[in-house]
Amino acid sequence: MHRQCLKRFALLTSRQFCYKPVRRPNVLRDPAAGESTAKRPATEIQRPTDNHNAVDLTKHLQAKILATGPITVAEYMREVLTNPQSGYYMNRDVFGREGDFVTSPEISQIFGELVSIWILSEWQKLGSPPFQLVELGPGRGTLMRDVIKVLSKFKLSTGFSIHMVEISPHLSKIQAQLLCYNFDDCDPNVDVYYRKGETASGTKIYWYSRLEDVPRKFSVVMAHEFFDALPIHKFQLDKGVWKEILIDLAEEKGTDFRLVLSKNQTPLSKIYTPVAGETRTTLEYSLEADRLVGLLADRFESDGGIGLIMDYGHFGEKEDTFRAFKKHALHDPLKSPGTADLTADVDFRQIKTVAEQKNQVVCFGPVEQGVFLDRMEGKARLEALVKNALPENRETIKSAYEMLTHSNHMGARFKFFSMFPAVLKEHLTKFPVNGFH
């Protein structure tokens, strides 16, 4: 099915490019490890001067700790990333060559095109029901733009609505400017969405602060580099008891805060239940990720839908991945909070366990990004683009795809993970999910 969609898409786009190819960025490497240290590929262009509110955020956190004692890593991340006045994501564009990191959709149009073909083919296999397209944490809106372009090629632009879950007013405005022919702010006291707009092709778009406010209908849900930014708790096994690693004031110069082990169990470490067979003595756990996965599973069972999570992560083997990135390089996550991105690898084993625990959904993956894109006929799409490109652009297009798929770059570290209603399990055995088999 996806091959037929891709062939048809190739015919529809053979005379034009979806947009200009993106120049391949450089990759920062740790000389000691011999591996990439960047969360995403780096570029030579630096981001603007740091937000002046960052100093206020440091003082705010220090005052909180002085008043109440050490705080959880989750509380620290939540303040640093989403504080309304000084949060990292709240008042600036952090993406792209002028920001702190570059995402896959911005590296090559092939990424968004193949995700679009996956959505189209899986939706058609389910009988092409009426649907709405939902994206969690849309970034600049680049991925959604590519999806809209592909779906419009198949005459679907007015057959669905788009629902963006975005907590940052600043980023949501950037998304609206990119995607919409016109848009308006809305009164959240009247409407559950705070902004609405319409694309040039007539597709309605709505913005929400929470997934809970998105209408309960058959949904195709995308989450690209969203779960990695959710707050995590850090646990350590101490004499057979899970204790929490907290953040306290620094005792030495050179950083603002330090990590400490709680003297006693915290409320969350008391109720935390590790996955069966857990062997790690130190791990990271996102309560918010569990909550959102549970919401998606409930929606897919009740209303129908498909979920596609795209992020870098592991399957329960990593212990300490909490880190920060600034100007495309590793940065001390406990220094100058609010000036750098905080992140942690997604634990896909935990996500799968939570999603399937009530037998509401069936999950596939994770599979490596390079494997997924190649299975979705990425090389065929690459050949078509190169064939129709200007000679001076061909190497750039090739290198961008290599960046996405090669194991030394993003191909192995980034993963794809999908969710379907459990009622479809037998159907999906007969008609395997594209990209995962």
Side-chain angles (χ1 to χ4, degrees):
M1 178 70 72
H2 76 280
R3 291 177 180 172
Q4 296 175 350
C5 291
L6 187 64
K7 288 180 179 178
R8 185 180 172 193
F9 176 68
L11 291 173
L12 291 171
T13 59
S14 61
R15 295 186 179 180
Q16 59 182 329
F17 297 107
C18 286
Y19 53 89
K20 295 181 180 179
V22 178
R23 179 171 60 88
R24 175 182 175 180
N26 297 319
V27 177
L28 296 179
R29 293 185 174 276
D30 180 352
E35 297 179 351
S36 171
T37 63
K39 173 183 175 184
R40 306 171 179 90
T43 64
E44 298 175 354
I45 300 177
Q46 304 300 317
R47 54 165 279 180
T49 305
D50 295 327
N51 191 326
H52 67 279
N53 287 329
V55 175
D56 296 335
L57 185 55
T58 299
K59 292 181 178 179
H60 168 69
L61 290 166
Q62 289 174 335
K64 176 178 287 191
I65 293 173
L66 283 171
T68 64
I71 61 176
T72 66
V73 176
E75 185 175 359
Y76 179 82
M77 287 186 70
R78 190 174 295 108
E79 286 280 4
V80 170
L81 297 179
T82 62
N83 180 283
Q85 285 73 43
S86 309
Y88 176 76
Y89 284 117
M90 303 305 284
N91 302 297
R92 75 188 91 180
D93 180 4
V94 301
F95 301 94
R97 290 178 293 180
E98 295 183 2
D100 290 324
F101 49 83
V102 179
T103 60
S104 294
E106 295 172 326
I107 292 174
S108 173
Q109 68 185 74
I110 297 177
F111 184 89
E113 290 173 352
L114 296 183
V115 169
S116 306
I117 295 299
W118 186 88
I119 291 172
L120 184 64
S121 60
E122 295 305 315
W123 171 70
Q124 289 178 338
K125 281 162 55 178
L126 299 182
S128 304
F131 75 102
Q132 60 184 15
L133 189 56
V134 180
E135 185 172 8
L136 309 181
R140 277 181 170 173
T142 306
L143 177 58
M144 184 61 75
R145 177 189 64 179
D146 292 347
V147 172
I148 292 172
K149 285 184 176 181
V150 173
L151 295 185
S152 67
K153 295 292 183 181
F154 291 86
K155 310 301 181 182
L156 294 177
S157 56
T158 58
F160 64 97
S161 57
I162 295 173
H163 304 265
M164 313 279 265
V165 179
E166 176 58 72
I167 194 173
S168 169
H170 181 74
L171 289 177
S172 68
K173 186 174 182 179
I174 292 175
Q175 296 155 15
Q177 290 171 338
L178 177 69
L179 301 173
C180 295
Y181 175 74
N182 58 69
F183 63 91
D184 297 294
D185 292 339
C186 304
D187 185 352
N189 295 317
V190 178
D191 302 302
V192 293
Y193 44 84
Y194 64 86
R195 178 172 288 130
K196 64 179 180 179
E198 184 174 335
T199 69
S201 56
T203 305
K204 305 289 186 180
I205 307 183
Y206 305 89
W207 277 263
Y208 310 80
S209 297
R210 309 183 310 157
L211 173 60
E212 293 91 325
D213 295 329
V214 176
R216 297 290 299 255
K217 298 178 181 179
F218 186 102
S219 302
V220 177
V221 181
M222 303 186 298
H224 179 257
E225 296 201 38
F226 169 78
F227 280 87
D228 69 271
L230 295 180
I232 60 161
H233 293 263
K234 293 180 70 68
F235 293 144
Q236 181 173 314
L237 198 59
D238 183 37
K239 298 179 181 179
V241 176
W242 287 106
K243 292 185 179 179
E244 190 158 2
I245 297 173
L246 305 173
I247 292 181
D248 199 358
L249 299 177
E251 293 184 335
E252 300 179 355
K253 294 182 179 180
T255 189
D256 299 310
F257 304 93
R258 62 177 175 140
L259 296 174
V260 298
L261 184 65
S262 61
K263 296 179 180 179
N264 302 302
Q265 284 189 289
T266 59
L268 189 59
S269 69
K270 284 184 178 181
I271 64 174
Y272 170 71
T273 302
V275 174
E278 180 62 76
T279 59
R280 292 174 293 176
T281 58
T282 302
L283 53 82
E284 297 160 336
Y285 168 68
S286 175
L287 183 65
E288 181 66 6
D290 278 11
R291 187 185 73 83
L292 289 170
V293 169
L295 285 175
L296 289 174
D298 179 65
R299 281 173 170 258
F300 292 157
E301 180 189 45
S302 302
D303 311 308
I306 304 169
L308 185 63
I309 298 174
M310 302 154 278
D311 226 312
Y312 57 95
H314 58 92
F315 202 70
E317 69 273 9
K318 291 187 178 181
E319 296 184 347
D320 183 13
T321 68
F322 175 58
R323 58 203 185 280
F325 289 88
K326 182 176 181 179
K327 299 180 181 178
H328 304 280
L330 282 169
H331 176 79
D332 183 351
L334 304 182
K335 185 177 181 180
S336 303
T339 68
D341 184 28
L342 298 182
T343 181
D345 283 15
V346 177
D347 188 341
F348 284 105
R349 183 178 67 168
Q350 178 69 20
I351 287 181
K352 180 179 175 67
T353 300
V354 172
E356 295 183 338
Q357 64 183 354
K358 296 181 181 179
N359 296 316
Q360 295 173 302
V361 298
V362 57
C363 300
F364 299 89
V367 299
E368 294 179 354
Q369 175 170 290
V371 173
F372 179 89
L373 296 179
D374 282 348
R375 287 175 176 173
M376 290 301 298
E377 306 293 338
K379 291 180 180 178
R381 180 57 180 155
L382 173 63
E383 291 176 1
L385 284 177
V386 171
K387 181 179 179 181
N388 290 282
L390 296 173
E392 59 268 27
N393 291 333
R394 289 172 182 170
E395 286 304 315
T396 301
I397 296 171
K398 291 179 181 178
S399 62
Y401 186 75
E402 180 184 4
M403 180 68 72
L404 294 178
T405 58
H406 198 285
S407 59
N408 289 339
H409 299 304
M410 305 171 75
R413 186 166 188 180
F414 284 74
K415 309 292 194 305
F416 276 64
F417 182 88
S418 61
M419 300 168 59
F420 291 78
V423 70
L424 297 173
K425 186 174 183 178
E426 184 176 344
H427 174 79
L428 296 174
T429 300
K430 295 179 179 179
F431 305 97
V433 180
N434 292 316
F436 292 88
H437 296 279

